[in-house]
């Protein structure tokens, strides 16, 4: 095995996106959000578990007044989407008339974001947009308009920087992709 690669459970992963590249992308995203949401006091809604590192690093770089809250959803098993989006921890904030920005680690099929947007819209927010660290456009199965994307990637299974493989890998500073 290449010494730069890592093993998680039964799979080998190789370095893909470095922490420096991730932070550079997030810094640009934070500046864009700061401009678009100046004077709107946005509510960032981070989708746990995967977005915890992205949310923390993004929020540290957003320089306008804002709030953050969390929701926990689950739809992935092993390396694929089940298509069944389970709410593990629900919405605790009143989002009526608020400008909401959903923070996702990765948009793959889009099932998760699609289901969440449907739910959020029933609470009459002033606006809802999605900011994601990663997006796999070729996997999308819903006509989603994801306004803020730090980086698009091909259809590869990735781990690290909050993303896991069956519970492991969330603590990695860089993003790795599976060796096929
Ligand atoms: N560790 C990884 N998790 C992934 C990957 N692609 C998706 N996911 C997880 O699923 C949800 C959303 O998927 P969706 O199909 O509903 O869009 C995402 O938030 C992740 O938690 C991946 O490559 N690696
Ligand atoms: Mg996620």
């Amino acid at each position: 095995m290449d010494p730069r690669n890592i093993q998680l459970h039964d799979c080998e992963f190789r370095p893909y996106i470095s922490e420096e590249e991730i932070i550079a992308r997030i810094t640009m995203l934070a500046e864009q959000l700061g401009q678009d949401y100046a004077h709107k006091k946005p509510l960032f809604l981070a989708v746990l578990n995967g977005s915890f590192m992205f949310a923390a690093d993004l929020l540290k770089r957003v320089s306008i007044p804002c709030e953050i809250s969390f929701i926990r959803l689950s739809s992935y098993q092993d390396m694929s989407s089940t298509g069944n989006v389970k709410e593990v921890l629900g919405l605790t904030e009143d989002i009526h008339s608020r400008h909401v920005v959903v923070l996702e680690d990765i948009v793959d099929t889009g099932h998760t974001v699609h289901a969440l947007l449907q739910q959020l819209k029933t609470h009459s927010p002033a606006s809802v947009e999605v900011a994601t660290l990663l997006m796999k456009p070729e996997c999308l199965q819903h006509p989603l308009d994801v306004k803020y994307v730090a980086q698009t990637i091909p259809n590869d299974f990735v781990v690290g920087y909050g993303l896991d493989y069956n519970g492991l890998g969330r603590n990695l500073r860089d993003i790795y992709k599976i060796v096929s």
Side-chain angles (χ1 to χ4, degrees):
M1 180 166 123
D2 184 318
R4 291 167 303 177
N5 291 2
I6 56 157
Q7 177 92 24
L8 297 176
H9 298 295
D10 52 342
C11 290
E12 187 182 341
F13 295 83
R14 70 173 173 78
Y16 186 36
I17 310 171
S18 69
E19 184 182 20
E20 290 71 26
E21 289 174 86
I22 297 167
I23 296 299
R25 296 278 186 163
I26 289 176
T27 303
M28 286 195 285
L29 208 56
E31 283 167 9
Q32 197 185 344
L33 287 162
Q35 287 169 15
D36 293 356
Y37 286 88
H39 314 298
K40 289 185 175 170
K41 206 174 75 177
L43 172 67
F44 290 99
L45 186 61
V47 182
L48 299 174
N49 290 334
S51 75
F52 77 97
M53 276 202 199
F54 171 50
D57 281 333
L58 181 76
L59 266 284
K60 282 187 270 181
R61 290 165 179 83
V62 170
S63 54
I64 55 166
C66 63
E67 294 177 37
I68 185 159
S69 188
F70 301 90
I71 186 166
R72 186 170 171 206
L73 303 177
S74 164
S75 64
Y76 236 62
Q77 192 160 20
D78 297 327
M79 289 189 200
S80 47
S81 171
T82 59
N84 177 21
V85 181
K86 271 192 301 184
E87 189 175 274
V88 186
L89 178 74
L91 187 65
T92 53
E93 300 295 312
D94 180 7
I95 63 165
H96 180 79
S97 299
R98 297 296 308 271
H99 292 282
V100 178
V101 182
V102 171
L103 301 181
E104 253 290 30
D105 52 353
I106 186 165
V107 178
D108 180 353
T109 62
H111 290 323
T112 305
V113 165
H114 176 74
L116 180 57
L117 291 179
Q118 301 280 94
Q119 190 207 332
L120 295 179
K121 282 172 185 168
T122 66
H123 296 271
S124 307
S127 68
V128 193
E129 297 291 352
V130 178
T132 185
L133 175 66
L134 301 174
M135 178 154 178
K136 300 179 189 172
E138 65 199 67
C139 300
L140 207 55
Q141 294 181 26
H142 297 271
L144 285 179
D145 180 18
V146 181
K147 187 167 183 185
Y148 302 98
V149 180
Q151 186 153 355
T152 57
I153 62 168
N155 184 14
D156 292 311
F157 186 77
V158 293
V159 294
Y161 197 76
L163 292 139
D164 74 313
Y165 171 42
N166 282 347
L168 295 181
R170 293 195 196 277
N171 56 318
L172 297 165
R173 303 175 79 99
D174 305 310
I175 293 174
Y176 293 73
K177 84 171 173 184
I178 192 154
V179 175
S180 44

